[in-house]
Amino acid sequence: MRIDLHTHSNRSDGTDTPSELVRNAKQIAGLDVVALTDHDATVGWDEAQTAADQIGITLVRGIEISTHYDGHSVHLLGYEFDPHDPALTAELAKVRGGRDTRLPRMLERLADEGYEVSLEDVARHSVHAAASGRPHVADALVEKYPEKFPHRSAVFAGWLNDGGRAYVRRYSAPLVQAIGLLKAAGGLAVIAHPWSSSRSHGLTREVFEELVDAGLDGIEVDHADHTEDDKQRLRQIAADLDLVVTGSSDYHGQGKPQPPYGLGGHTTDEEQYRRLFDL
Ligand code: AMP
Ligand code: ZN
Ligand code: FE
Ligand code: FE
């Protein structure tokens, strides 16, 4: 069984529609199970479910929530929760609001440096998305200044990445609270790519212990942003704390290079999948 538990559609910053994503998952990547985990939004679920039922692939309905712990950004995967839970939906609306309010400030910073794109330019690249993200800003810059910025990554490097010249912080949910909200809404919580950046302040074993107490179910270990050493150490922490180990592509369609972020490029073991969803 081939299982990929972390992908993005154009309802956030991927480029496939939810149905295209599900179709590609089955027909191109040969997956049996795919999770749709758009950033801070569940608006793609219905379309993805309809497509999954039509072509015969198991859809896991998920999300990737922007959170923070100790001042640092942490991405939290949530699965199969009640999408109408009032407390959770209120917090997600707050996170999406923070995405949109920082946008004008990022554009001002870029304009100060001589790169002028308008809110409308960005909006054209995020028409299908529940909220804007840095990749949509990047797309607008790639379109207007292709020689300076040939692709999304060129805009992130030194400009939009954390601490970059045009980077502006935004609201994110407190991590422990977000885990609690997912669990209270009947869902599962898995930390996404925990050591993808700034290893020095990465989530430590002690922090994972606290997160287990908050209800954490698993750790995404097999991810393109982790080194082999990261994976080995994270696998040990998961084993010691009795957490499920997942693996996934973090596919963004054309928005991220494939490989290493191609659909099914990293996968979850069937046994771990069954344990996570109590099958
Ligand atoms: P935001 O959600 O606005 O904070 O932007 C973060 C998103 O940008 C993440 O989903 C990443 O997948 C994406 N991202 C980060 N770095 C890059 C990069 N170098 N190239 C393309 N996308 C990136
Ligand atoms: Zn993304
Ligand atoms: Fe992420
Ligand atoms: Fe992601």
Side-chain angles (χ1 to χ4, degrees):
M1 244 181 136
R2 276 170 55 72
I3 301 155
D4 185 342
L5 292 180
H6 179 171
T7 72
H8 299 270
S9 76
N10 66 1
R11 270 41 173 179
S12 62
D13 55 4
T15 58
D16 290 359
T17 65
S19 9
E20 284 166 350
L21 187 150
V22 164
R23 208 177 311 130
N24 289 337
K26 165 127 180 173
Q27 293 169 358
I28 294 179
L31 291 166
D32 302 285
V33 179
V34 66
L36 177 66
T37 55
D38 277 315
H39 296 284
D40 309 311
T42 59
V43 287
W45 283 15
D46 289 350
E47 183 186 319
Q49 189 66 65
T50 302
D53 292 345
Q54 276 169 2
I55 63 175
I57 182 172
T58 299
L59 176 75
V60 172
R61 299 171 309 162
I63 194 166
E64 183 176 21
I65 306 179
S66 310
T67 81
H68 65 270
Y69 184 94
D70 198 19
H72 300 294
S73 166
V74 177
H75 286 180
L76 178 66
L77 294 164
Y79 298 113
E80 295 296 337
F81 51 88
D82 173 6
H84 305 296
D85 179 85
L88 179 58
T89 51
E91 185 62 17
L92 293 175
K94 200 169 161 186
V95 175
R96 290 193 303 271
R99 287 181 164 281
D100 291 333
T101 53
R102 77 159 164 180
L103 193 54
R105 292 190 287 148
M106 283 199 295
L107 301 189
E108 271 170 39
R109 297 260 183 108
L110 285 162
D112 288 347
E113 304 272 354
Y115 298 102
E116 291 195 35
V117 289
S118 65
L119 282 171
E120 292 70 33
D121 293 334
V122 178
R124 271 187 288 111
H125 293 279
S126 60
V127 273
H128 303 288
S132 62
R134 282 176 275 171
H136 303 123
V137 177
D139 290 344
L141 285 156
V142 168
E143 185 182 65
K144 190 155 177 193
Y145 303 101
E147 272 160 38
K148 170 75 178 172
F149 302 116
H151 42 68
R152 278 185 181 180
S153 290
V155 193
F156 272 87
W159 292 90
L160 291 182
N161 57 1
D162 293 24
R165 264 171 284 186
Y167 174 69
V168 174
R169 287 178 66 99
R170 61 180 167 92
Y171 176 79
S172 63
L175 176 58
V176 171
Q177 183 193 330
I179 292 173
L181 288 169
L182 281 172
K183 303 301 295 190
L188 297 162
V190 173
I191 299 287
H193 50 70
W195 292 350
S196 60
S197 61
S198 312
R199 289 277 303 288
S200 54
H201 60 247
L203 300 173
T204 61
R205 174 183 294 264
E206 290 66 37
V207 176
F208 277 115
E209 283 169 11
E210 181 191 343
L211 301 181
V212 168
D213 292 340
L216 186 69
D217 297 288
I219 305 179
E220 184 183 63
V221 172
D222 291 303
H223 185 282
D225 292 351
H226 289 153
T227 65
E228 289 309 314
D229 183 55
D230 290 338
K231 292 179 194 175
Q232 202 179 329
R233 289 165 58 200
L234 284 167
R235 219 178 281 285
Q236 189 61 53
I237 292 174
D240 294 346
L241 300 181
D242 202 26
L243 289 165
V244 168
V245 165
T246 70
S248 28
S249 64
D250 207 353
Y251 173 73
H252 281 69
Q254 302 309 307
K256 274 195 167 186
Q258 330 174 18
Y261 301 96
L263 262 177
H266 290 80
T267 53
T268 299
D269 283 346
E270 183 175 350
E271 188 195 325
Q272 298 290 314
Y273 165 71
R274 292 195 180 282
R275 212 178 119 207
L276 181 60
F277 293 100
D278 199 18
L279 300 173

